[in-house]
Amino acid sequence: MPIKNRFAELLPEITAWRRDLHENPEILYETHRTSGIVAEKLRAFGCDDVAEGLGRTGVVGVIRGRSTASGKVIGLRADMDALPIHEQTGRDYASKTPGAMHACGHDGHTAMLLGAAKYLAETRNFNGTVVVIFQPAEEGGGGGREMCADGLMERFGIQEVYGMHNWPGIPLGQFAIRPGAFFASTDQFEITVEGRGGHAAKPHETVDSTLVASHIVLALQSIASRNADPTEQMVVSVTSFETSSKAFNVIAQRVQMKGTVRTMSPELRKLGQERLTAIAETTARAYGAEAKVNYIKGYPVMINHPDETEFAAEVAREISGDCAEAPLVMGGEDFAYMLEERPGAYILVGNGDTASVHHPEYDFSDEAIPAGCSWWAGVVERRMPAA
Ligand SMILES: [Zn+2]
Ligand SMILES: [Zn+2]
């Protein structure tokens, strides 16, 4: 099964959907127009059921095979949201909304899964049920988590779930995947150091919050270098440091810091939170100041299940002859929540030699559509073969 001919035929139509979505980007949960189009198309394709409003603006379509005797139910997931970036591609279908653009290719993901849904509803050449999942707010908003919280898996009886992301740097038509931890946990923290402000010429009468916070910044670097197993991956970054004084002669009463902790294992994630809190609090205390830590949990580590990963790679190899081993990604991915609830796998499809995702000159490559759609169809037809 290389590229399916039907997707070569559908390419102009799917490309037109993709470019329309590109022109009309919507951020986080505000995917009202996009969700409306998705639901309307799923109904027009003849889906057996279309549900709206899961995870606020998520959409789900159900397609039953010619037979459903196998009792199998597979979920296929795409994301729909754009980013708060001002587009600089110069394309004739560039974003019409200033300050918003599809800079991560979720327009392409939505269009490809719609293309696959159209094909699957036409052919129904499988024994089981497909649930196509379109989620909002992948970019930091936890739309996948919210759809799961709304009972996505239970309501539709999903047993396995698959996801796909385009990837600049991987050749067009090629795929890459890896089993186990794939995308990082992405937690955030805020540390407030409270000292005693005063005259810069009389430091002995103050507790210098700037000095204390500086010691904390340095000490936090010992978490990844001294506490974490060096064969594992961990990032601790302080990204914001603001003192309450803007004057050259005032020692600041307070310093506020922000940053992120990223890991590739749930154990290391837990260790990161514990060490960060202990270091901030005790370092401040050693200097007579006080530190308050607000640790905000983001996406969990996204972990591909081994059997489903091998299966996903097999389908990719049938399409393109090969499936590369993907690198670890220290970015986060909301699909992690779905893989916590059900076995499944997440694969990368090549976007060719383009600007990286989240760059104002990035654009999804429409040439990736036939391979991406063929992979979706292959997952369904191989996992739930018709009799
Ligand atoms: Zn992104
Ligand atoms: Zn993305």
Side-chain angles (χ1 to χ4, degrees):
M1 186 200 73
I3 298 290
K4 287 186 180 292
N5 289 336
R6 182 67 180 128
F7 292 121
E9 288 168 21
L10 288 172
L11 180 57
E13 187 179 356
I14 300 171
T15 299
W17 301 340
R18 204 283 290 184
R19 295 184 178 190
D20 172 69
L21 296 174
H22 191 89
E23 257 185 272
N24 298 282
E26 295 172 303
I27 290 170
L28 289 170
Y29 287 97
E30 300 303 314
T31 58
H32 301 290
R33 178 184 184 274
T34 308
S35 300
I37 288 171
V38 166
E40 179 194 303
K41 289 205 188 299
L42 293 177
R43 287 196 185 94
F45 300 158
C47 282
D48 297 289
D49 186 17
V50 177
E52 297 177 72
L54 276 97
R56 294 186 236 175
T57 39
V59 183
V60 173
V62 176
I63 307 165
R64 294 193 192 93
R66 270 193 216 128
S67 167
T68 55
S70 73
K72 289 185 184 165
V73 184
I74 290 184
L76 312 177
R77 170 276 203 178
D79 38 20
M80 301 186 287
D81 57 317
L83 282 157
I85 294 175
H86 192 79
E87 180 159 354
Q88 291 172 28
T89 62
R91 299 278 201 273
D92 54 8
Y93 54 84
S95 168
K96 291 193 291 198
T97 309
M101 80 172 281
H102 270 293
C104 205
H106 299 184
D107 49 346
H109 302 166
T110 300
M112 287 193 293
L113 189 55
L114 281 173
K118 176 164 178 154
Y119 165 86
L120 291 167
E122 276 172 10
T123 54
R124 305 201 184 236
N125 191 26
F126 54 93
N127 181 348
T129 302
V130 177
V131 180
V132 288
I133 304 161
F134 295 85
Q135 74 150 86
E138 192 287 318
E139 299 286 2
R145 181 189 61 223
E146 294 305 306
M147 287 190 83
C148 287
D150 275 357
L152 170 69
M153 300 298 168
E154 300 76 14
R155 177 167 163 192
F156 298 97
I158 297 166
Q159 298 160 351
E160 279 176 34
V161 67
Y162 293 86
M164 175 167 45
H165 206 294
N166 79 94
W167 211 252
I170 297 175
L172 283 165
Q174 298 291 308
F175 295 86
I177 199 168
R178 65 183 298 128
F182 191 175
F183 280 57
S185 61
T186 56
D187 296 338
Q188 301 169 33
F189 61 84
E190 296 167 348
I191 302 172
T192 305
V193 177
E194 195 79 28
R196 189 167 62 245
H199 200 295
K202 295 181 175 179
H204 58 294
E205 292 177 2
T206 73
V207 174
D208 185 353
S209 57
T210 304
L211 181 67
V212 175
S214 301
H215 279 287
I216 292 173
V217 173
L218 293 176
L220 291 181
Q221 289 312 310
S222 70
I223 302 173
S225 68
R226 303 289 94 172
N227 299 137
D229 181 332
T231 62
E232 292 195 46
Q233 295 75 28
M234 182 178 214
V235 174
V236 179
S237 294
V238 176
T239 56
S240 172
F241 189 107
E242 280 185 44
T243 72
S244 61
S245 166
K246 297 292 171 256
F248 70 91
N249 56 358
V250 176
I251 286 174
Q253 167 78 19
R254 187 179 308 112
V255 173
Q256 287 179 301
M257 294 182 278
K258 288 182 189 173
T260 182
V261 176
R262 287 155 191 253
T263 73
M264 279 294 174
S265 82
E267 296 75 27
L268 208 46
R269 185 188 193 194
K270 188 164 167 283
L271 177 92
Q273 179 175 6
E274 286 166 3
R275 292 299 302 143
L276 182 132
T277 305
I279 286 171
E281 289 177 357
T282 57
T283 302
R285 211 175 303 135
Y287 290 91
E290 195 191 357
K292 285 207 175 68
V293 177
N294 181 20
Y295 198 91
I296 307 138
K297 289 224 165 132
Y299 295 166
V301 183
M302 190 188 77
I303 300 172
N304 263 348
H305 297 245
D307 293 349
E308 288 72 16
T309 302
E310 183 42 41
F311 165 69
E314 265 170 43
V315 176
R317 280 191 286 267
E318 285 182 7
I319 295 164
S320 66
D322 191 22
C323 185
E325 180 174 303
L328 290 168
V329 179
M330 293 313 283
E333 170 52 74
D334 193 14
F335 190 60
Y337 293 103
M338 296 194 189
L339 287 180
E340 282 188 339
E341 297 218 346
R342 292 293 184 272
Y346 182 87
I347 200 166
L348 305 180
V349 61
N351 203 53
D353 185 17
T354 64
S356 76
V357 290
H358 294 210
H359 189 281
E361 289 170 8
Y362 164 87
D363 190 20
F364 176 82
S365 297
D366 293 315
E367 301 94 312
I369 289 171
C373 288
S374 296
W375 184 78
W376 282 131
V379 164
V380 171
E381 292 176 355
R382 282 282 313 272
R383 203 62 159 175
M384 306 188 291

